[in-house]
Amino acid sequence: MSQRIAILPEIITNKIAAGEVVERPASVIKELIENALDAGATDIAVEVTAGGRRLMRITDNGHGMSREDALLSLERHATSKIKTDSDLESLLTLGFRGEALPSIASVSRFRLATREPDSLEGTEINMEGGRIRDVKACGMAPGTVISVEQLFFNTPARLKFLRSAETEAAHVADSVTRMAISRPDVAFCCTSDGRELLRVQRGDLLRRLTQILGKTSAAALHAVQSSAEGIEVTGFISSPTAARSTTSAMFTYINGRFVRDRVVQHAIMQAYRGVIDKGRYPVCALFIALPPGEVDVNVHPTKHEVRFRRQTLMHDTLQSAIEEVLKASPWLASRQVIAAPPTTPSVSQAYLERVAAAAQTSLNLPRREVPSYTAAQTAPRVSEPTPHFQSAPAVLEPPAAVAIELPEATEPPASAENGYFSSLTIIGQFHAEYLLCQSGNELVVIDQHAASERVAFQLLRRQYECGAVESQRLLFPETVELSFGEVATAQRFTAELSGIGFEMEPFGGNTIIVSAVPRLAIERDCIRLVRDLLGELSQLGASSAFHDIQESLLSRIACHSVIRGPRMLEHRQIRELLQRMDETDFAASCPHGRPVSHTITHAELEKIFKRT
């Protein structure tokens, strides 16, 4: 019988591996930059032509390689990063598979030039389609230069899937950006067709984010620094107003490695739930450091996916670290505690030193010191004393509203315990919907519905966490006609609805009886609220999923139970609302993510009236 099974030639196996590692020019750039960083480079230059189709060149000042190591690096599964299988559980380097270089060389015209610092000459290797064409000595500075020309020239099926040169160049720039954020101690330069796309110098993380995101976006970032049970979370997150419509500005790193992990993204979005609108995503650069044995990076050749040994702990630690910052609402400038300012978090210096040490050990080279960078301290913002501001008693109001004259604006009693909202000077109301207040040289406009909704939601959530939401029995139970699906939903979630203050039971057919509702919502349209809640619950497949949307249900109850539309408030009511706002979490937004307040500075007003 003829033999049907055969071992594939090496050239074919390399092309198969390239299909996993090399998706487009950007993936080539990523792999080569990772190798440069593992080699201890502090300056990396990336040059592409025609979006990377024609040429990609990466130059670094790392440790370089000897002639023997350079030739061996082009063999499959040849690496200096690991020696035994146990090393997979203690990885401190970005690369370790030993597949990148041979895979890239198999689908391009490839040139590798490298020189060690103590060597008199470098080594140049030229390859075409995975075959070595020439090996010779060359003169060059210490480091490595890799040129990749005519990518996919021998695999036309892959070549036709590449996008336009502009699109591919943009993906290359995004890849370099992600790597640049991960290592602010390394200088990066990226050019496309002679045009500079990115140039950043060494510095701390905040400076690097300012260089990449711009001063406006960086000004909206706030420091995160937390640790628990061996998991350390550092970096920056944005205020709700800086949220974007895509996840393109969410940079997350596990032990210095950029990842797109669903668990990590879910933890971030859970922390921002109720702070930003649905479909919006925060700007963030978060570094999660944990023992190498706690995370498996050997999941996919691209190494963008990871698996956590204690997934729930990692998720909850990250979510808690972000929530602690969001609860303080640091973007409210006057909301501050006079204390020593925290240092700006940066990529762990200890981690950088471990990476450098691992690279030095694996290459058997003398130790090179990793340049340290000092975390800059954030200067405390001292609020100016609030001048006494007399308000005019007249306020604008809709025709149907009944005016209630507010007293003159007065300063609240001096107290060290006053929060941001409690310390505001009340000016009055506008259109019976907005509160006008003063804080120093700023005019603060507060949406009274959003503020009342946040206060009500906080009360409902505390009651729910203590056992059950306080309910009020109806004097005359209401009958509600629903669809048969909604009746089935009411029966399936009877116990859960009881926990948030509703008591309802079947009345036959497609009718139910509502005998109790949350006390906060007793004076509102309870039947409409019941319909809305059942409509939202009908989308859940099981009662176990109720916990995932319980805050959404509580926010809906809060929205139905508070001020809606124009309503005049007395000075006492306004003061009480402001005081309660200081007792809430996420006071800068309502439970649905809409902002509670907006600040207009004195300088902005003078600019409007052309006084500057």
Side-chain angles (χ1 to χ4, degrees):
M1 295 180 64
S2 62
Q3 184 176 344
R4 296 183 178 181
I5 299 177
I7 297 176
L8 292 174
E10 184 179 359
I11 188 66
I12 297 180
T13 58
N14 282 340
K15 286 186 177 182
I16 292 174
E20 296 178 329
V21 177
V22 185
E23 301 177 34
R24 61 196 326 160
S27 58
V28 173
I29 298 298
K30 168 190 170 294
E31 296 291 341
L32 297 181
I33 290 179
E34 286 184 348
N35 284 343
L37 292 174
D38 286 339
T42 57
D43 284 279
I44 299 176
V46 177
E47 177 188 350
V48 297
T49 303
R53 292 177 181 229
R54 188 178 305 163
L55 170 69
M56 289 176 280
R57 181 180 292 117
I58 293 86
T59 304
D60 69 68
N61 65 341
H63 300 305
M65 293 179 284
S66 65
R67 179 186 180 93
E68 293 75 17
D69 281 343
L71 287 168
L72 195 58
S73 70
L74 297 172
E75 299 291 333
R76 287 196 68 199
H77 306 304
T79 180
S80 62
K81 315 300 172 56
I82 57 176
K83 303 296 182 183
T84 65
D85 58 349
S86 61
D87 292 338
L88 290 172
E89 299 180 0
S90 57
L91 285 171
L92 292 173
T93 54
L94 299 175
F96 61 91
R97 289 175 173 270
E99 291 181 327
L101 290 184
S103 297
I104 295 168
S106 69
V107 291
S108 67
R109 292 185 168 90
F110 184 88
R111 174 182 175 271
L112 167 65
T114 183
R115 177 195 157 197
E116 294 180 303
D118 56 354
S119 177
L120 296 178
E121 62 182 17
T123 301
E124 180 180 327
I125 303 174
N126 292 285
M127 301 181 68
E128 183 174 335
R131 301 181 187 276
I132 296 179
R133 298 299 185 189
D134 186 26
V135 181
K136 59 184 179 182
C138 68
M140 61 178 295
T144 302
V145 180
I146 295 179
S147 299
V148 180
E149 300 183 55
Q150 297 178 320
L151 184 67
F152 298 138
F153 80 98
N154 57 350
T155 53
R158 297 294 301 276
L159 181 62
K160 69 180 183 180
F161 283 102
L162 293 182
R163 304 298 182 184
S164 66
E166 294 77 11
T167 300
E168 295 299 338
H171 283 291
V172 168
D174 288 340
S175 183
V176 176
T177 296
R178 289 191 288 267
M179 302 301 291
I181 291 176
S182 73
R183 293 292 297 272
D185 61 316
V186 177
F188 287 83
C189 176
C190 178
T191 60
S192 174
D193 297 319
R195 181 170 57 93
E196 188 173 281
L197 301 180
L198 176 72
R199 180 181 293 274
V200 290
Q201 303 302 321
R202 303 183 194 95
D204 59 25
L205 179 57
L206 184 57
R207 181 186 176 191
R208 178 59 52 88
L209 291 173
T210 303
Q211 292 172 328
I212 290 175
L213 300 176
K215 293 182 179 179
T216 303
S217 296
L221 296 177
H222 304 280
V224 177
Q225 194 153 12
S226 178
S227 61
E229 299 191 39
I231 301 176
E232 182 182 2
V233 180
T234 59
F236 291 89
I237 59 174
S238 69
S239 61
T241 56
R244 301 187 180 184
S245 58
T246 67
T247 60
S248 61
M250 293 178 65
F251 303 98
T252 53
Y253 301 86
I254 304 295
N255 288 346
R257 184 191 308 277
F258 176 79
V259 297
R260 295 190 191 96
D261 187 78
R262 287 178 294 178
V263 175
V264 172
Q265 182 166 328
H266 185 269
I268 295 172
M269 298 311 298
Q270 283 292 99
Y272 271 92
R273 183 177 56 181
V275 180
I276 58 177
D277 293 332
K278 189 174 182 180
R280 306 287 291 177
Y281 301 91
V283 177
C284 64
L286 292 169
F287 294 80
I288 304 167
L290 64 168
E294 292 288 322
V295 58
D296 182 8
V297 298
N298 189 26
V299 175
H300 192 273
T302 63
K303 302 185 286 291
H304 277 159
E305 300 177 18
V306 296
R307 295 290 182 271
F308 298 101
R309 188 170 72 86
R310 295 183 292 174
Q311 178 174 297
T312 301
L313 174 63
M314 201 290 304
H315 177 283
D316 294 346
T317 301
L318 177 58
Q319 180 178 342
S320 176
I322 298 172
E323 284 181 346
E324 285 302 313
V325 177
L326 295 178
K327 286 178 181 179
S329 300
W331 48 90
L332 296 177
S334 301
R335 211 173 186 196
Q336 58 186 347
V337 177
I338 304 302
T343 59
T344 302
S346 59
V347 183
S348 171
Q349 182 70 20
Y351 168 74
L352 299 180
E353 291 175 353
R354 291 200 305 271
V355 171
Q360 301 282 349
T361 302
S362 63
L363 295 174
N364 296 317
L365 292 171
R367 178 176 177 80
R368 171 186 285 188
E369 294 296 330
V370 176
S372 62
Y373 50 96
T374 305
Q377 289 192 332
T378 305
R381 298 180 62 178
V382 182
S383 59
E384 298 180 8
T386 305
H388 187 72
F389 189 90
Q390 296 291 339
S391 69
V395 293
L396 295 177
E397 58 184 5
V402 178
I404 300 177
E405 184 174 341
L406 296 176
E408 287 189 347
T410 56
E411 284 293 326
S415 171
E417 298 180 357
N418 274 350
Y420 172 71
F421 290 98
S422 300
S423 63
L424 296 177
T425 301
I426 300 172
I427 299 174
Q429 276 182 288
F430 172 72
H431 212 263
E433 292 181 292
Y434 299 96
L435 308 179
L436 303 181
C437 303
Q438 182 182 353
S439 174
N441 62 348
E442 297 175 340
L443 174 65
V444 183
V445 184
I446 299 173
D447 183 340
Q448 65 189 33
H449 169 73
S452 301
E453 189 177 341
R454 169 55 68 179
V455 170
F457 173 77
Q458 188 78 8
L459 177 60
L460 289 169
R461 189 168 65 176
R462 286 175 181 170
Q463 291 178 354
Y464 183 81
E465 291 171 351
C466 291
V469 172
E470 185 178 357
S471 64
Q472 174 71 53
R473 299 194 66 83
L474 301 178
L475 184 60
F476 300 102
E478 296 273 1
T479 58
V480 186
E481 292 186 356
L482 306 167
S483 68
F484 288 102
E486 289 172 332
V487 172
T489 299
Q491 292 177 326
R492 186 165 77 248
F493 291 98
T494 297
E496 289 80 8
L497 288 170
S498 177
I500 60 174
F502 291 93
E503 291 184 17
M504 52 186 75
E505 57 186 14
F507 191 61
N510 62 341
T511 306
I512 63 171
I513 294 179
V514 180
S515 55
V517 297
R519 185 172 182 180
L520 278 178
I522 192 65
E523 297 181 0
R524 305 296 170 184
D525 188 353
C526 304
I527 303 308
R528 179 184 173 186
L529 177 57
V530 169
R531 292 183 186 276
D532 289 348
L533 293 180
L534 292 178
E536 191 164 348
L537 286 172
S538 64
Q539 300 176 10
L540 298 183
S543 297
S544 59
F546 180 86
H547 178 74
D548 294 336
I549 69 163
Q550 58 95 359
E551 288 204 0
S552 175
L553 299 180
L554 293 178
S555 67
R556 188 180 292 274
I557 297 171
C559 184
H560 276 262
S561 65
V562 299
I563 304 169
R564 284 186 137 181
R567 179 177 173 183
M568 297 301 298
L569 299 179
E570 297 178 359
H571 183 275
R572 173 186 54 81
Q573 294 173 310
I574 296 175
R575 177 59 62 198
E576 183 178 357
L577 176 60
L578 296 178
Q579 290 173 346
R580 290 193 176 185
M581 280 296 295
D582 279 323
E583 300 171 1
T584 65
D585 297 336
F586 311 118
S589 64
C590 78
H592 297 104
R594 292 190 300 105
V596 166
S597 63
H598 177 73
T599 300
I600 304 173
T601 65
H602 184 259
E604 290 173 335
L605 287 175
E606 289 196 326
K607 186 176 180 180
I608 291 173
F609 291 103
K610 302 185 184 303
R611 299 183 65 179
T612 57

